[in-house]
Amino acid sequence: MQSVLSRKPARRRLGGTAYLAALFVDALGSGLYLPLTLVFIHKVTGLSVTSVGLGVTVAAVAGLAANPLAGVLVDRFGSHPVLIGTYLLRAVGFALYPLVGSFPALIAVAALIAVGDRAYYPATSSYAAAIVSGADRDRLYAYVTMARNIGFGLGGLLSAAALSVMGDHGFAVMAVVNAVSFVGAAGCLAFAGSRPQTELRRSGAETQQHGGYRRVLSDRPFLSLVGAEQVFTLAHSVLPVALPLYAVVVLGAPPAVLGVLYTLNTVLLVVGQLPVRRLQARARRTHALALGGAVFAASCGAYAAVAYLPQGGWQLTGLLAATLVYTVGELMHTAPSSALAAAIAPTAVRGRYLAVYQLTWGVSAILAPAGFSDMLDAAAPLLWIILGPLLLVACATVLSLSGRLPTAAVMPQPPTTMALLPAETDQATSP
């Protein structure tokens, strides 16, 4: 008996390490193309930028359907096989990109990748929740952010090197390398063995007994949290979507400043995760989440103020300072948000709960490009005037939920050693 028990922590450590390795390999490949997504697809397929933009939008909308489906599959088969499946789907999609030569083919391949992308988020959140519990989840999510940002940063550097050496041929190489990276990520998880020990295969009847999506949609405190999270995920879209337009088009800043701002953001997200996590360790997750949202709101005020600074060095300094505040908001929001949602979700329907929670990112991916650009085009400060107060409302909503959500989810058990505790020890259930 003792030898069996002593092997369980080792298996859980292996699962956590393999999971982080998979995230890093995935992000390394994705970092090759993410900064140049539309340009990348345009160069690889040879289709017009207009066609590419329309095709990616159609695919993104189609991909939303994969989110609730992934929740069902996770609850039925476990997160481990579903997560591996999302990697393999995207590997096939990127391997096919160089073969695309028509608009229908673009939609088919982009939709395949979008399905993998949208299914990935509830699967990866469920997997993390299954290999750790309590406050260890917050720490694991901090490591997740670190691994992904290191991968994205290195991938971006490799992308620049590939294009400088190979020119436009580098785009096809990037597609193949990214496909290989997804296969490598799937291999990392497969190396860890079968599903986490805390995940059980459930029949459809067993899951139905726990209510399925009806239970999720009747959980009003959780849905209120999802509404607040929708605003927070829109804030996460500021850096990749709004800032390039605001800095370069609205303020007239040189495009090179974007590289500086993105580098600052990436480096701080890597080095700041664990220190911020230590500061949040004894705080209620709802309070930590609300404070992160308040910092996001402060960054909106800072970005709005930049428009009224003299052009040149003053505005560049203002953009740098506002991005620093924004990055602190990202650091404070990510870990408690993910851990709180995972702790609220009952084990039997965790996949469905996290699918609904992660759907906010898919909605933001559709709303942010058009919405942010329209507001910035109408008036320089309009986006910040609208988004800032919305964030404060979301913060107030989260604080009001502190007494309505399960105590074990709001105030987690003290941390032990990452990836050692089984998820069954987290007894939080939704009211």
Side-chain angles (χ1 to χ4, degrees):
M1 176 66 72
Q2 185 176 0
S3 62
V4 173
L5 291 175
S6 65
R7 287 197 297 269
K8 287 184 178 179
R11 285 200 297 269
R12 291 179 187 126
R13 280 195 296 270
L14 179 61
T17 302
Y19 176 54
L20 292 175
L23 293 174
F24 172 77
V25 173
D26 162 14
L28 184 64
S30 297
L32 293 171
Y33 84 96
L34 278 177
L36 303 164
T37 300
L38 295 182
V39 176
F40 164 82
I41 299 174
H42 164 63
K43 293 291 187 179
V44 170
T45 64
L47 299 176
S48 68
V49 175
T50 302
S51 296
V52 168
L54 178 60
V56 170
T57 300
V58 172
V61 174
L64 283 179
N67 198 280
L69 176 60
V72 174
L73 294 176
V74 166
D75 290 336
R76 176 65 179 86
F77 300 105
S79 60
H80 185 258
V82 177
L83 183 55
I84 290 177
T86 67
Y87 282 135
L88 296 180
L89 275 178
R90 289 176 289 175
V92 172
F94 275 93
L96 291 175
Y97 253 141
L99 305 180
V100 171
S102 66
F103 184 68
L106 169 65
I107 292 180
V109 171
L112 180 66
I113 294 172
V115 166
D117 282 340
R118 295 273 60 86
Y120 164 81
Y121 290 102
T124 190
S125 296
S126 298
Y127 186 84
I131 60 176
V132 291
S133 66
D136 286 323
R137 282 181 182 153
D138 304 71
R139 183 163 48 163
L140 177 58
Y141 286 122
Y143 276 110
V144 165
T145 302
M146 287 177 59
R148 289 181 63 79
N149 278 282
I150 292 173
F152 285 140
L154 292 177
L157 293 176
L158 292 175
S159 173
L163 294 178
S164 64
V165 172
M166 292 180 280
D168 285 354
H169 295 294
F171 286 103
V173 174
M174 287 159 55
V176 174
V177 171
N178 196 30
V180 172
S181 76
F182 283 125
V183 174
C188 289
L189 286 177
F191 175 76
S194 59
R195 66 176 51 81
Q197 297 296 311
T198 58
E199 286 196 321
L200 301 175
R201 184 184 297 272
R202 299 180 185 277
S203 68
E206 286 176 321
T207 305
Q208 195 66 27
Q209 288 176 356
H210 290 87
Y213 274 114
R214 288 196 304 273
R215 179 168 184 177
V216 182
L217 298 178
S218 64
D219 189 340
R220 293 186 179 180
F222 177 73
L223 293 182
S224 296
L225 181 64
V226 171
E229 181 67 8
Q230 182 64 75
V231 181
F232 294 142
T233 56
L234 283 172
H236 276 277
S237 300
V238 164
L239 191 73
V241 177
L243 188 57
L245 294 174
Y246 184 63
V248 177
V249 178
V250 176
L251 300 181
V257 73
L258 295 176
V260 176
L261 298 179
Y262 288 140
T263 301
L264 171 70
N265 176 264
T266 300
V267 170
L268 290 179
L269 286 178
V270 171
V271 302
Q273 279 299 322
L274 294 183
V276 169
R277 170 63 205 128
R278 283 193 290 269
L279 291 173
Q280 293 176 325
R282 297 188 180 279
R284 295 186 178 189
R285 284 171 174 152
T286 48
H287 289 53
L289 181 57
L291 183 56
V295 176
F296 267 143
S299 74
C300 289
Y303 278 124
V306 173
Y308 300 97
L309 295 175
Q311 286 190 327
W314 283 102
Q315 281 194 345
L316 295 180
T317 302
L319 285 172
L320 192 67
T323 301
L324 178 61
V325 177
Y326 173 86
T327 302
V328 173
E330 279 193 289
L331 285 167
M332 298 177 70
H333 167 266
T334 305
S337 169
S338 300
L340 179 61
I344 292 171
T347 304
V349 285
R350 181 187 288 146
R352 288 169 168 83
Y353 264 74
L354 295 182
V356 171
Y357 198 71
Q358 294 293 337
L359 190 63
T360 57
W361 292 89
V363 172
S364 292
I366 294 173
L367 295 180
F372 285 4
S373 59
D374 286 347
M375 284 185 277
L376 288 171
D377 185 58
L382 184 60
L383 170 61
W384 317 116
I385 291 173
I386 293 176
L387 184 58
L390 280 177
L391 283 164
L392 293 178
V393 171
C395 294
T397 300
V398 171
L399 289 176
S400 72
L401 293 172
S402 183
R404 300 171 61 197
L405 297 174
T407 302
V410 173
M411 195 66 193
Q413 299 171 359
T416 54
T417 302
M418 191 191 74
L420 295 186
L421 292 178
E424 284 100 342
T425 61
D426 194 340
Q427 298 296 328
T429 56
S430 294

